Amino acid sequence: MIVVVDYGLGNLQSIKNMFKRIDVDDVVISSDKNVIEKASKLILPGVGAFDVGMKHLEEYGLKNVLNRKALVEKVPVLGICLGMQLMTRESEEGKEKGLGWFDAKTVKFNLNDTKLKIPHMGWNYIREANNSELKLDPKKKYRFYFVHSYRVKCANSADVLYTTNYGYEFHSAIKKDNLIGVQFHPEKSLHFGMDLSLIHISEPTRPGI
């Protein structure tokens, strides 16, 4: 069972609808710790501010169960947008500590090109940084939909799967063991997002989503 974690933020139904379009029905949206405990895969979505996201995880009582599933049971977890940022240690956007699953920090875009606007919004391409375990079709140029003002900066280059250029290269997809984070929105990225989801749903024994 795939559980989309509901902590009051994120395009939850859009994510579930994306899976429905690729004929994956075993997907539930839940904030119930007992349901999350039974998950074989987790999706941590999110739209909004870092501190609000962390406070919501606290208020919903989900931090402990998420840490256990991610770090002890090692179930595959996919963080999307704010969900990816919450996997880092901290953010320049606020004062709350992140989940700390990655040795990474969430930092504000610092652009010298005044023609580029913040937030980074719209379609953009991803470029492979390491031998990607996402196994996207190397013949395709994948582009995804982004909406964000902050970006993740990994301390360990081996954790970086993909980069994207917006004024400069930034880390747009990261991975460590069973954990994957993507700054873009697969659920808003049409067939590109469905490709990403279908690859990992069809291979449930592999780490990743």
Side-chain angles (χ1 to χ4, degrees), residues 2-191:
I2 303 164
V3 176
V4 182
V5 179
D6 178 6
Y7 60 106
L9 300 171
N11 300 311
L12 309 180
Q13 192 59 50
S14 295
I15 294 170
K16 187 173 181 179
N17 289 343
M18 177 184 65
F19 283 112
K20 186 176 181 180
R21 288 195 293 271
I22 57 175
D23 297 321
V24 177
D25 297 318
D26 193 19
V27 180
V28 299
I29 298 169
S30 183
S31 59
D32 188 327
K33 293 190 287 291
N34 293 322
V35 174
I36 294 171
E37 285 278 13
K38 298 175 183 177
S40 58
K41 294 185 177 184
L42 289 170
I43 297 178
L44 183 64
V47 175
F50 188 93
D51 277 9
V52 175
M54 289 308 303
K55 287 176 180 177
H56 277 215
L57 289 181
E58 289 277 9
E59 291 167 4
Y60 281 58
L62 298 179
K63 279 184 67 177
N64 287 341
V65 65
L66 290 176
N67 281 328
R68 184 165 59 253
K69 296 294 286 186
L71 305 179
V72 179
E73 297 182 25
K74 300 285 188 181
V75 304
V77 183
L78 172 65
I80 297 174
C81 196
L82 177 62
M84 169 184 172
Q85 295 177 2
L86 297 181
M87 293 175 163
T88 68
R89 292 182 283 102
E90 58 186 340
S91 174
E92 290 181 350
E93 188 178 14
K95 298 179 179 179
E96 297 292 322
K97 293 296 182 184
L99 293 168
W101 296 347
F102 285 87
D103 184 8
K105 184 177 181 179
T106 300
V107 300
K108 190 174 180 65
F109 271 108
N110 184 14
L111 299 176
N112 293 321
D113 188 343
T114 57
K115 295 179 181 179
L116 298 175
K117 305 298 183 183
I118 298 298
H120 170 216
M121 181 183 298
W123 294 88
N124 207 339
Y125 292 95
I126 63 172
R127 299 166 182 80
E128 189 170 305
N130 286 300
N131 184 19
S132 174
E133 293 186 39
L134 294 183
K135 303 301 181 188
L136 296 173
D137 187 342
K139 296 179 182 178
K140 291 184 181 180
K141 288 187 176 181
Y142 279 87
R143 63 183 192 132
F144 292 92
Y145 191 81
F146 290 82
V147 184
H148 62 119
S149 299
Y150 290 78
R151 62 183 179 86
V152 167
K153 183 178 180 180
C154 282
N156 186 352
S157 61
D159 292 340
V160 182
L161 283 182
Y162 286 89
T163 65
T164 294
N165 190 282
Y166 192 68
Y168 47 78
E169 294 290 317
F170 70 91
H171 302 158
S172 53
I174 60 177
K175 183 180 187 302
K176 184 174 71 173
D177 301 325
N178 54 305
L179 309 172
I180 291 178
V182 293
Q183 185 60 67
F184 48 82
H185 288 272
E187 77 280 8
K188 294 182 179 181
S189 299
L190 306 177
H191 64 279

